[in-house]
Amino acid sequence: MDLVPALKEPLEQPLKSVLGPATAKVMAEHLGLHTVGDLLHHYPRRYEERGQLTHLADLPMDEHVTVVAQVADARLHSFASAKAPRGKGQRLEVTITDGSGRLQLVFFGSGVHKPHKELLPGTRAMFSGKVSVFNRRLQLAHPAYELLRADTDESVETWAGALIPLYPATAKLESWKIGKAIQTVLPTAQEALDPLPDSLRDGRGLVSLPEALLKIHRPHTKADIADARARLKWDEAFVLQVALARRRHADAQLPAVPRVPAADGLLTSFDARLPFTLTEGQQKVSKEIFDDLATDHPMHRLLQGEVGSGKTLVALRAMLAVVDAGGQAAMLAPTEVLAQQHHRSVVEMMGELAEGGMLGGSERATKVVVLTGSMGTAARRQALLDLVTGEAGIVIGTHALIEDKVRFHDLGLVVVDEQHRFGVEQRDALRGKGKQPPHLLVMTATPIPRTVAMTVFGDLETSVLDQLPAGRSPIASHVVPAADKPHFLARAWERVREEVGNGHQAYVVCPRIGDDADEAADSKKAGRTKKTSPEDEAEKRPPLAVLDIADQLVKGPLHGLGVEVLHGRMPPDDKDAVMRRFAAGDTDVLVATTVIEVGVNVPNATAMVIMDADRFGVSQLHQLRGRVGRGSAPGLCLLVSEMPEASAARQRLDAVAATLDGFELSRIDLEQRREGDVLGQAQSGARSSLRVLAVIEDEEVIAEAREEAARLVAADPELETLPGLRTALDALLDEEREQYLDKG
């Protein structure tokens, strides 16, 4: 799914025919590069300048790096070992410097001879290897290297040229080998078909694609790099936005049954029951949804809302509107705990309106059924019957809803909760159960910056709920530095006791369950590292576990309180029973994994202590924190960490403690992580196709590309006048990706 703008001959040539089978095999296996076009679109990660070298002081641990530096000194040592008992073992230690710092290289055994001859003091070279620590010093063991001399034809140009491109590389293929391979295929760039319409390119002063490829791989000045990147960013943004615009255009042609609620039906009765008025935001978003439901093509809407902003209420009103109009609505939840939770809260909110066909039910009522994988046979058979006869207007379930046996009378609306937890295939299978494509509402409590929404969910219209309903309380968040100030942790447990003493409840969240299965995995991970700083010590320790912490709390600081555990490996009935007891107020403290992250709603829970908080992502911490402060009493969230104050992990926690704005946190999260992680997850697990486009920095490019794409597709949906763009789309939308967007 790479954005390769031209895959016609000769850019379509397989690399093995150009570079030879051995190199081509490594490139395919380790970098996913198969054709000349793929290789031309493998851009440098950065550039070295001869006079301005990498800061050795900033090298990341355990990463494969390439540095350009000068040999300061080289010493050959002899030593005795099991293999060379007479002191004939040899170790070559070479110190390199770049003016900002020093780094030790070490070579052993027969591998010392070549570097001993070549790496003389004053020699300048590129070195590539994995950074590790030995005796508290950074080192590269057995790095590959390439001398930078001005006296051989091969390096004259590289060395004399001001900028040396450094490529994303692997242990099997160093940056300079990739660079040489690219120089071999670079003349082919002249043949690249340009996907951008001439008018767009000229209007924005962008260079042609062949010129951009030449400038990114062989720049003479920094301006060359800027020209190339500006152009290639547009390619990525525009091709993706055209794909999404065509998807929206095609969806607009699909037929759907308009669902207009009856004037005095279920929805009206439900609204009359509500003990509060809807917020302005809820009213606005509901109107957007109802307008979509009334049209004769399927709604495709993404509903974003902070934890506790009332998304479930908005979704329920949409479901009731569809039931009023004679259809059925299905809500798909990612876990059984969440499906049961939604079912309970929907039935509670609807009261007698959820008792269709039952004694005491309202005459306008419908039936609300739940369907999960662990249900008993009789209950399951009854639920399936209620769906096929239309008796049940609303069904809430897990992926069990998708099975072939499940039939609907008239499915009108699908609501998907926590979008990123479902494969696209699952949503598609559910949508396929309607006589005509049902309307689709996707909900997420993970705030997504506007640009990410445009890049990843660009085929969905977006609604945002950013107001908290009246009566929701603020949440105070604090970092508890357990290693620096152990008395802060003791105070944290006192605070939990105080909350319970005031009639409230608390969560304690841990990253791990603590049974044998995950114990083994963690000790393996911990054994892989040789780090020594306090930060590393904190990282090396296995993450704290639910079963261990619960045991310690019961015997220690929370002795005498009702403490229960909840984690993903418990049988579904046990999980549900624990959750019910906690919701009923029978349990004081729930020690859990992130199984409580989504959707668990206990208004009486006011405090949360997150152990090893640095092991969680920013968005995940924000989600977890949203479980407290759901009632009228203020919430408290304590982020416990052993990481030192200056560490990046602590800065991340400080950022979470400093703001309750999920959109702000999602930006921080995205800036701190590789975008591929964020986009990859949202793109159904596919590798992120973005090479030079950064969704946060390039907000403007993405927004403009979306407008241009919409204009172009409206005028020419089949792109008949733009063969280069069609070729680029074919490359982006390989079969799997095409299906992914189709299922959107």
Side-chain angles (χ1 to χ4, degrees), residues 624-642:
L624 286 165
R625 169 171 63 186
R627 301 295 117 220
V628 295
R630 299 178 76 84
S632 53
L636 172 69
C637 178
L638 300 173
L639 306 166
V640 180
S641 172
E642 290 188 4

Side-chain angles (χ1 to χ4, degrees), residues 559-620:
H559 180 66
L561 300 187
V563 177
E564 288 209 67
V565 300
L566 180 71
H567 60 74
R569 290 214 194 101
M570 291 164 65
D573 290 350
D574 294 1
K575 275 193 284 202
D576 203 41
V578 168
M579 216 41 247
R580 276 176 190 274
R581 284 195 293 274
F582 189 64
D586 301 339
T587 308
D588 298 322
V589 179
L590 187 64
V591 184
T593 55
T594 54
V595 72
I596 63 148
E597 177 189 347
V598 202
V600 173
N601 184 27
V602 181
N604 192 44
T606 52
M608 175 178 285
V609 180
I610 303 178
M611 307 302 291
D612 276 347
D614 48 89
R615 310 269 178 147
F616 299 98
V618 169
S619 295
Q620 200 173 25

Side-chain angles (χ1 to χ4, degrees), residues 19 27 39-40 42-43 167 177-187 217:
L19 302 175
M27 286 194 168
L39 182 54
L40 285 173
H42 186 72
Y43 309 133
Y167 290 91
K177 288 186 180 159
I178 296 170
K180 284 179 183 170
I182 284 172
Q183 295 304 328
T184 306
V185 300
L186 201 52
H217 291 299

Side-chain angles (χ1 to χ4, degrees), residues 446-452 616-622 625 647-675 677-678 695-697 699:
T446 307
I448 304 164
R450 174 170 161 265
T451 40
V452 181
F616 299 98
V618 169
S619 295
Q620 200 173 25
L621 290 169
H622 183 58
R625 169 171 63 186
S647 64
R650 268 286 287 282
Q651 285 164 9
R652 211 168 60 234
L653 296 181
D654 290 340
V656 174
T659 178
L660 290 171
D661 181 342
F663 287 94
E664 177 56 30
L665 287 173
S666 68
R667 287 183 78 96
I668 293 168
D669 196 19
L670 195 54
E671 280 159 8
Q672 289 184 342
R673 292 160 62 187
R674 288 199 302 277
E675 270 170 5
D677 300 345
V678 181
V695 290
I696 289 289
E697 285 166 36
E699 194 159 351

Side-chain angles (χ1 to χ4, degrees), residues 251-256 292 295-300 431 437-440:
D251 285 340
Q253 318 304 313
L254 286 174
D292 282 359
T295 62
D296 55 8
H297 57 82
M299 165 171 81
H300 289 89
R431 278 168 64 188
H439 299 281
L440 174 70

Side-chain angles (χ1 to χ4, degrees), residues 32-54:
L33 308 175
H34 303 277
T35 65
V36 169
D38 290 346
L39 182 54
L40 285 173
H41 286 81
H42 186 72
Y43 309 133
R45 176 178 283 145
R46 59 194 171 86
Y47 301 84
E48 281 298 2
E49 292 179 68
R50 221 168 61 179
Q52 189 188 332
L53 302 171
T54 321

